[in-house]
Amino acid sequence: MDGGSQPVNGSLRRRLWRWIAGVTLASGLAAGLCSYLISFREAQELQDDQLRQMALLMERHPETADGWMSPLGSVDGNDRDARTVVCPLGVAPKNPKLPLLPGTLPEGFQTRVHHGTAWRLYVFTLPSGVRLATGQMTAVRNEIARDSALLTLIPILLLVPALSLLAAWIIGRALAPVTHLSHQLDTRDDTNLTPLSAHGVPSEIRPFVAAINGLMQRLSTALEQQRRFIADAAHELRSPLTALMVQTDNLEQSISSPEGKQRVMQLKAGLERAGKLLEQLLSLARRQAGAAPATDVPFDRLVQQVIEDYVPFAATKGIDFGCERFEEVTLTAPAEDLLVLARNAVDNALRYTPPGGRVDVNLYRDGGEVVFQVEDTGPGVPAGEEERLFEPFYRVVGNDETGSGLGLAIIRSIADRLGGTVSLNNRKGTKGALFRYRQPLTQHNR
């Protein structure tokens, strides 16, 4: 099952995050705009209150008015942003830069423009009857108000990305059970059809998990029926084939003509191929039905035994058969599975190597893995058919070598169950095929 986790990680999670991030951003922009406008307005009102407070102070203490109406007309001559002027109405101000205010101005707040400069004024009357105005340049007031309003945006600007990251974290936590289920399915091999656990799964996802479990149960039942049929059919055909072999041997003894013996030999060869096919069908059914308990197996001794068994066959074909690199290796696996894997790999190489060719077996450690490989000088692997060769009953078109097409399929089934990887490719720079099986070493076997 390839890519089980991709739909969750690449679609649903990103879609939820984009929606939440978009809503958060839009809400943040709207909140920021409202905060800016409200703060700007409040800063303007605060400055108006300052002008009014100055007027009230001078109404209560008229003697201070003359001191404030200095040539600069400023409460604080050192800070231009804090400059507040006091001007008499109907009288030319001491500072020519200050506006000339007519005596008819109504009391209260108003805005006047003098030589292109806008002023915010508060007009009032002293107890003595003198009319004055406290004022500020509108540009200065707006700058102060903008600076104050912008400061209120800082928390919102920091909150929007923080909320987006928090949303991503919350979505990840919420979808963690789904991602875990996806990972479980993605890492399973094709023989593991046990039900998925619904523990910790949200109630909205449980019907989906139940549907997957139901599908796997139906698939498991169908595969079990198929395996039983293959095993039963192969078992039932074994007895008739054995009887035919016996009858063929008897027939061979009773025929004296060379032509008759030749035909009997062809009949025996056909029966032997059929018998081997039945054995491989039974082996495939047993491998798919489940493996025996794993034990510590000296894989080097097992491979050595296979090599010794096939030496006579290699000798009859004139094949240079032996080892190049051979190390002591112990694997934790069912011994029968490792034996079948090694035997089928060696048998496949010897059968497809022409007389006078060469087959080399290598067994060694590579980091935390064990590597078992078989090289031959046969016709090699047709381009584009490297994976199809591991399919049951698939055989290369145009090859005259007899075979059932099950050997590599059995190897792939064993490799998947043992957590190993298997490949069959052409040798680089020369003719022939290279079979390689890799299996991780357990901690106590390293």
Side-chain angles (χ1 to χ4, degrees):
M1 298 182 180
D2 186 24
S5 61
Q6 185 61 26
V8 173
N9 293 334
S11 176
L12 181 58
R13 176 179 296 176
R14 291 182 181 176
R15 189 179 305 172
L16 288 173
W17 182 82
R18 286 171 182 169
W19 273 103
I20 294 177
V23 171
T24 302
L25 179 61
S27 302
L29 291 176
L33 178 61
C34 293
S35 175
Y36 178 83
L37 294 177
I38 293 173
S39 298
F40 186 86
R41 180 61 182 171
E42 288 181 349
Q44 292 279 11
E45 292 178 353
L46 178 61
Q47 293 179 94
D48 284 346
D49 288 340
Q50 290 175 346
L51 295 178
R52 186 186 297 112
Q53 292 297 325
M54 285 183 60
L56 291 174
L57 182 60
M58 284 187 287
E59 287 177 357
R60 294 175 183 176
H61 304 280
E63 67 276 6
T64 62
D66 292 335
W68 285 5
M69 288 188 292
S70 63
L72 293 176
S74 174
V75 174
D76 186 356
N78 297 320
D79 188 355
R80 294 178 56 84
D81 293 342
R83 180 169 297 177
T84 302
V85 299
V86 179
C87 299
L89 271 63
V91 179
K94 298 177 181 179
N95 189 342
K97 295 182 179 180
L98 297 180
L100 174 60
L101 304 176
T104 58
L105 286 179
E107 294 195 358
F109 288 103
Q110 51 198 284
T111 301
R112 300 218 21 121
V113 178
H114 176 69
H115 295 304
T117 302
W119 292 83
R120 179 68 170 172
L121 303 174
Y122 179 74
V123 179
F124 63 99
T125 304
L126 294 176
S128 61
V130 177
R131 303 191 70 203
L132 300 175
T134 57
Q136 286 179 310
M137 287 188 294
T138 303
V140 174
R141 289 167 52 88
N142 290 341
E143 183 179 354
I144 295 174
R146 278 195 300 269
D147 292 342
S148 177
L150 288 174
L151 289 176
T152 64
L153 295 180
I154 294 178
I156 297 176
L157 295 177
L158 295 177
L159 188 61
V160 169
L163 288 177
S164 300
L165 294 176
L166 182 62
W169 180 79
I170 292 175
I171 292 171
R173 293 280 296 179
L175 294 179
V178 182
T179 305
H180 180 65
L181 289 175
S182 178
H183 179 70
Q184 281 186 348
L185 288 174
D186 192 42
T187 54
R188 285 188 176 189
D189 56 48
D190 55 0
T191 62
N192 187 357
L193 297 176
T194 55
L196 293 172
S197 173
H199 178 69
V201 176
S203 57
E204 293 82 359
I205 307 297
R206 288 182 182 177
F208 181 67
V209 176
I212 292 179
N213 288 338
L215 175 63
M216 289 197 296
Q217 180 61 41
R218 294 191 296 271
L219 182 60
S220 177
T221 301
L223 291 176
E224 181 61 29
Q225 291 175 349
Q226 181 186 34
R227 286 192 291 263
R228 272 203 307 268
F229 171 77
I230 294 175
D232 292 344
H235 183 74
E236 291 299 323
L237 288 173
R238 181 187 290 176
S239 297
L241 277 177
T242 302
L244 285 174
M245 287 292 295
V246 173
Q247 295 297 330
T248 303
D249 290 337
N250 295 334
L251 181 62
E252 185 180 16
Q253 299 297 327
S254 62
I255 295 179
S256 58
S257 65
E259 183 180 355
K261 286 184 176 293
Q262 180 65 27
R263 292 183 177 179
V264 171
M265 290 289 293
Q266 293 175 353
L267 177 61
K268 287 181 66 176
L271 291 175
E272 287 176 355
R273 288 196 297 270
K276 186 174 181 180
L277 173 60
L278 289 178
E279 290 297 329
Q280 289 192 322
L281 283 173
L282 285 172
S283 177
L284 180 62
R286 286 194 294 266
R287 302 284 83 76
Q288 293 178 342
T295 58
D296 288 341
V297 180
F299 193 36
D300 54 307
R301 298 181 188 175
L302 189 146
V303 173
Q304 186 177 5
Q305 175 188 337
V306 172
I307 293 174
E308 292 174 355
D309 292 342
Y310 275 91
V311 165
F313 178 73
T316 58
K317 294 185 67 174
I319 295 176
D320 182 7
F321 180 46
C323 302
E324 282 192 336
R325 183 179 178 184
F326 206 77
E327 299 178 4
E328 292 186 4
V329 173
T330 299
L331 290 178
T332 301
E336 180 65 22
D337 284 354
L338 293 177
L339 179 61
V340 171
L341 185 148
R343 187 180 295 276
N344 284 356
V346 171
D347 181 85
N348 190 72
L350 290 173
R351 286 186 180 278
Y352 286 93
T353 299
R358 179 174 177 174
V359 174
D360 294 318
V361 178
N362 297 276
L363 179 65
Y364 57 92
R365 296 170 182 262
D366 183 18
E369 293 182 321
V370 60
V371 179
F372 168 65
Q373 67 180 33
V374 182
E375 297 181 77
D376 62 59
T377 57
V381 181
E385 298 189 16
E386 291 84 357
E387 284 299 315
R388 294 203 62 188
L389 290 174
F390 291 96
E391 297 177 4
F393 300 107
Y394 181 80
R395 300 184 70 248
V396 178
V397 178
N399 198 301
D400 297 332
E401 187 62 39
T402 60
S404 62
L406 287 175
L408 292 176
I410 293 173
I411 290 176
R412 171 61 63 83
S413 176
I414 294 173
D416 291 341
R417 189 167 52 256
L418 298 182
T421 57
V422 63
S423 63
L424 182 62
N425 301 288
N426 288 319
R427 298 171 63 191
K428 294 182 179 180
T430 183
K431 188 178 181 181
L434 172 62
F435 169 91
R436 180 177 288 128
Y437 172 70
R438 287 179 173 271
Q439 180 176 330
L441 290 165
T442 57
Q443 193 65 34
H444 71 279
N445 287 334
R446 295 183 180 179

